[in-house]
Amino acid sequence: MSRRARFAVCLVAVAALFSTGIEAQGSPTVPKGPIIIGHRGASGYRPEHTLGSYKLAIEMGADYIEPDLVSTKDGFLVARHEPEISGTTDVASHPEFANRKKTKSIDGAPVTGWFTDDFTMAELKTLRAVERLPDIRPGNTAFNGIYQIPTFQEVIDLAKQEHVGIYPETKHPTYFRNEGLPLEERMVAVLKKNGYTKKSDPVFIQSFETANLRVLRQLTPLHLVQLLDEAPLRPFDHLLSGDPRTYGDMMTPAGLADIATYADGIGPWKNSIVPWDATGHSLPATSLIRDAHAAGLTVHPYTFRRENNFLPAELQQGNPKAPTFLHATGDFPAELRKFFDLGVDGLFTDDSDVAVAVRAKWLKR
Ligand code: G3P
Ligand code: CA
């Protein structure tokens, strides 16, 4: 039975099906096991954060699709990984916007380009998406110039139509709040308008900052996920407030206990679970999954990608001397199996097709 048909005959259970990774595991109509999150859609195959990318992830069987959210000048939330859009759109080739090129400070670093908060939604809609990683994913450039930047509402419309969950991320929340375009209240308003109001609804909200998740905890009962960057780094709001804690501190049992006071799960970098040595080979797994579970937190690491470029050395395949070696597909299934074995509750992937297939086989082991 197809995913869509399964949902059609189980309408009463829909709200509960995707309520959390853990509850989804127990559903009779959803495959047991970790949830598969289509990272920026199916960004291994299409320019990221486009309806084409999200649709393909859904066709591949992703349980959730992930829009990173930024704001337009007129207050619409749109799906982009960062406010600066020259790497993912054709904005630089629009002479009418040449004078919008600026240098701004994003999280303390100067960034030069074009920023979503200098464009109205209507203006952004005149742009077209392009592939972010043309060297690693040259095939995706065939789709350059086709897709618009989608609004959050358009992503939600698609997710509801196709009966998958959404996993929105607030991007650079301090930056947007300082620009007079805070993300949190508007995101929750859009979610409410679409009926996402209960813990059991198929939504996870994520952020690399901490203060805005604490604010969000007061605004919504939906699942909140604390993203965790590399251990030596600090959340930008910690830098601003003088809080000395790094992401590494947040991954200790004490740090995880604190996260559990305002969030439901963590989204760590995959190397925080399986670190690499100096030669790029995997080291033994850390205790992060176990410690997070002990604190009552779900664990959804990022980002799983099929190309050698993103795999540990022992899983890279092919001739290293070949010019295409880094964008050749390595033993990606082996990496996925390893993380499933380690006990993740879900994972972010650019390649939902492989993750869904590996999960299906893994469940029969
Ligand atoms: O949100 C999980 C993962 O997407 C975090 O990394 O930079 O791809 O948003 P990023
Ligand atoms: Ca993200």
Side-chain angles (χ1 to χ4, degrees):
M1 190 182 291
S2 69
R3 283 180 58 79
R4 196 176 301 188
R6 284 203 308 270
F7 276 92
V9 298
C10 297
L11 282 176
V12 175
V14 160
L17 289 181
F18 293 102
S19 58
T20 69
I22 291 172
E23 289 177 40
Q25 289 171 28
S27 164
T29 54
V30 170
K32 288 183 180 179
I35 60 167
I36 305 302
I37 307 151
H39 180 248
R40 314 183 197 176
S43 47
Y45 303 89
R46 295 287 185 277
E48 67 187 39
H49 289 313
T50 60
L51 290 181
S53 184
Y54 297 126
K55 280 178 186 167
L56 187 56
I58 294 166
E59 291 298 328
M60 290 174 166
D63 304 302
Y64 285 76
I65 52 175
E66 190 225 11
D68 293 330
L69 295 178
V70 296
S71 181
T72 67
K73 181 181 178 180
D74 50 350
F76 288 90
L77 298 176
V78 295
R80 287 291 95 186
H81 182 261
E82 54 273 295
E84 202 286 303
I85 52 174
S86 62
T88 61
T89 73
D90 62 359
V91 65
S93 64
H94 283 252
E96 69 277 23
F97 298 134
N99 63 0
R100 309 263 179 110
K101 189 175 184 182
K102 293 180 184 170
T103 297
K104 296 192 180 192
S105 177
I106 306 284
D107 295 359
V111 176
T112 298
W114 289 261
F115 297 82
T116 57
D117 43 297
D118 290 329
F119 291 78
T120 64
M121 199 261 273
E123 288 172 334
L124 281 182
K125 282 289 185 185
T126 68
L127 307 179
R128 293 295 180 270
V130 301
E131 171 57 40
R132 176 193 291 278
L133 303 171
D135 295 337
I136 294 171
R137 294 169 173 169
N140 293 6
T141 63
F143 300 90
N144 285 358
I146 293 178
Y147 304 116
Q148 294 181 325
I149 295 176
T151 62
F152 186 31
Q153 183 60 56
E154 288 171 327
V155 180
I156 291 173
D157 289 344
L158 175 66
K160 290 172 91 170
Q161 177 189 317
E162 299 293 335
H163 307 289
V164 299
I166 53 169
Y167 210 124
E169 178 183 351
T170 55
K171 277 296 185 193
H172 304 285
T174 294
Y175 168 81
F176 280 107
R177 189 162 288 275
N178 289 341
E179 293 290 303
L181 295 165
L183 303 172
E184 295 78 14
E185 292 81 358
R186 282 173 301 141
M187 180 178 66
V188 170
V190 173
L191 290 166
K192 275 186 185 167
K193 187 177 135 204
N194 285 276
Y196 297 125
T197 55
K198 305 183 302 299
K199 192 97 178 167
S200 57
D201 288 330
V203 180
F204 291 85
I205 298 170
Q206 34 163 350
S207 178
F208 277 109
E209 294 193 13
T210 66
N212 83 316
L213 282 177
R214 293 178 194 272
V215 168
L216 280 160
R217 181 75 299 155
Q218 306 307 313
L219 297 178
T220 177
L222 295 167
H223 283 87
L224 303 182
V225 174
Q226 177 68 64
L227 295 175
L228 298 164
D229 208 331
E230 297 181 44
L233 303 177
R234 284 158 75 188
F236 185 61
D237 59 297
H238 282 195
L239 281 170
L240 284 184
S241 67
D243 187 329
R245 287 176 296 171
T246 64
Y247 288 110
D249 296 326
M250 295 168 71
M251 287 187 268
T252 63
L256 293 165
D258 180 53
I259 291 172
T261 64
Y262 61 87
D264 305 285
I266 59 169
W269 182 37
K270 64 177 184 172
N271 291 42
S272 297
I273 295 172
V274 179
W276 296 358
D277 67 16
T279 66
H281 290 81
S282 295
L283 292 166
T286 67
S287 61
L288 180 56
I289 294 176
R290 190 168 59 248
D291 294 343
H293 284 167
L297 296 164
T298 55
V299 181
H300 297 163
Y302 64 88
T303 300
F304 292 82
R305 296 165 163 138
R306 71 182 188 277
E307 295 96 344
N308 281 332
N309 189 65
F310 305 108
L311 290 168
E314 73 274 10
L315 297 183
Q316 294 179 337
Q317 294 179 323
N319 179 357
K321 292 181 181 164
T324 53
F325 177 72
L326 287 179
H327 56 88
T329 297
D331 193 356
F332 181 45
E335 183 181 53
L336 293 165
R337 278 193 297 274
K338 181 170 190 167
F339 278 79
F340 291 156
D341 285 343
L342 286 169
V344 297
D345 303 292
L347 50 80
F348 291 86
T349 180
D350 291 3
D351 306 285
S352 290
D353 51 348
V354 183
V356 168
V358 170
R359 178 181 64 181
K361 197 168 174 189
W362 179 79
L363 288 169
K364 292 183 199 158
R365 72 200 184 282

